[in-house]
Amino acid sequence: MNESMDLARGSTCFVSAGAGAEKVLRHSRNTTGLHEQSSSEEVEAVEGRRICFPEAHRVRLEEFQLDESALGKGDVLLRTRFSLISPGTELANYTGLQRGRKYPFYPGYAAVGEVVKAGEGAARFRAGDLVYSYTRHSSIEVARRVCVKVPGGVEPEMAPFARMATIAMTALRVSSGELGDTVAVLGQGLVGIMAAQLFGLAGMEVIGIDPVGERLRIAEGCGVRHTINPSETDLKERVMELTDGGGCEVTVEAIGNPATVETACQITRRLG
């Protein structure tokens, strides 16, 4: 995909953002058939457009209708402003490499949008509220799983990246890392830098590893004290220097490349 790509009548484009490869899909206000309305106004159905993978290696922008009767208890109807693209996950689905994927498939899993209507049990939301949700690349959507108001001062196009932070947080939650341990994070893209910051906040010494110098400079600016470029330095030797020859208690693989597992084993201490 191109850095900028017109999908339909100039209304939708990709916008590059962040240190990693993740991007934001911008949805313009004219991509739905919604009329300005009060929260009490009844509308039977709304028109929208969404991205679809009808089969592997095919993508299309399709029109659809959403019946407001689909709003269940706690659901919120949203007009999407921005949605997050995660290239690794979505390319796997696009190419058919995602195991068990069935088509047609509608990609996307994080977005920011304006509340159009709140269902029963969602009285904390009002029409016009800007919210973050686990929803797809669709101009109109129903938020069911996660829907929270975007805090004041947060740029709407940046808010969807919170989903990547939850992925990074998983590494901390499932690891056996403890206060004072040394943690190596392989890959300093968006998820890797966030993981490094979270382990640092938990009281661990963090080593950020990446062959791209610019990513390492960003990581250092985010508070990662030790960084290593394996294309310039012997990785194992440098890690052993930083850990007094013992290796790291925890190593996080934030690249998604199975080939890095061997590298992770080489720099992790026994029983780490």
Side-chain angles (χ1 to χ4, degrees), residues 37 39-42 67-78 115-127 129 141-144 147:
Q37 57 194 24
S39 59
S40 61
E41 184 179 344
E42 294 295 331
D67 190 339
E68 283 195 12
S69 64
L71 278 179
K73 187 174 182 179
D75 290 349
V76 179
L77 181 65
L78 302 178
V115 173
V116 175
K117 184 177 181 180
E120 181 186 353
R124 65 187 183 280
F125 298 109
R126 295 287 183 271
D129 284 348
E141 264 284 8
V142 174
R144 291 191 169 96
C147 188

Side-chain angles (χ1 to χ4, degrees), residues 7-55:
L7 290 180
R9 297 190 291 277
S11 63
T12 306
C13 66
F14 290 111
V15 181
S16 178
E22 288 70 21
K23 303 178 187 296
V24 164
L25 181 62
R26 185 188 302 272
H27 301 250
S28 72
R29 292 174 182 269
N30 66 355
T31 56
T32 75
L34 289 171
H35 300 288
E36 293 300 321
Q37 57 194 24
S38 68
S39 59
S40 61
E41 184 179 344
E42 294 295 331
V43 179
E44 292 184 359
V46 291
E47 296 178 349
R49 289 184 289 178
R50 61 190 176 190
I51 291 178
C52 173
F53 298 162
E55 59 184 314

Side-chain angles (χ1 to χ4, degrees), residues 1 10 12 34 61 95 97 106-107 111 121 129 135 166 191 203 208 212 256 269:
M1 296 180 182
T12 306
L34 289 171
L61 187 64
T95 58
L97 294 177
Y106 298 93
D129 284 348
T135 48
T166 64
V191 172
V212 180
R269 71 170 60 223

Side-chain angles (χ1 to χ4, degrees), residues 108-137:
Y109 55 48
V112 163
E114 297 174 15
V115 173
V116 175
K117 184 177 181 180
E120 181 186 353
R124 65 187 183 280
F125 298 109
R126 295 287 183 271
D129 284 348
L130 197 62
V131 298
Y132 163 79
S133 62
Y134 283 7
T135 48
R136 300 169 295 185
H137 302 310

Side-chain angles (χ1 to χ4, degrees), residues 180-182 239-240 242-251 264-272:
D181 283 352
T182 300
V239 169
M240 293 306 162
L242 292 171
T243 59
D244 296 323
C248 300
E249 281 82 8
V250 175
T251 299
C265 292
Q266 292 173 351
I267 62 176
T268 305
R269 71 170 60 223
R270 188 176 183 183
L271 302 181

Side-chain angles (χ1 to χ4, degrees), residues 139-187:
S139 63
I140 193 77
E141 264 284 8
V142 174
R144 291 191 169 96
R145 294 178 56 195
V146 171
C147 188
V148 295
K149 293 182 181 179
V150 175
V154 175
E155 296 181 14
E157 62 266 34
M158 293 292 104
F161 288 98
R163 185 65 190 269
M164 310 313 292
T166 64
I167 295 171
M169 184 172 63
T170 301
L172 175 63
R173 294 181 63 187
V174 303
S175 80
S176 57
E178 298 179 354
L179 184 69
D181 283 352
T182 300
V183 179
V185 182
L186 294 167

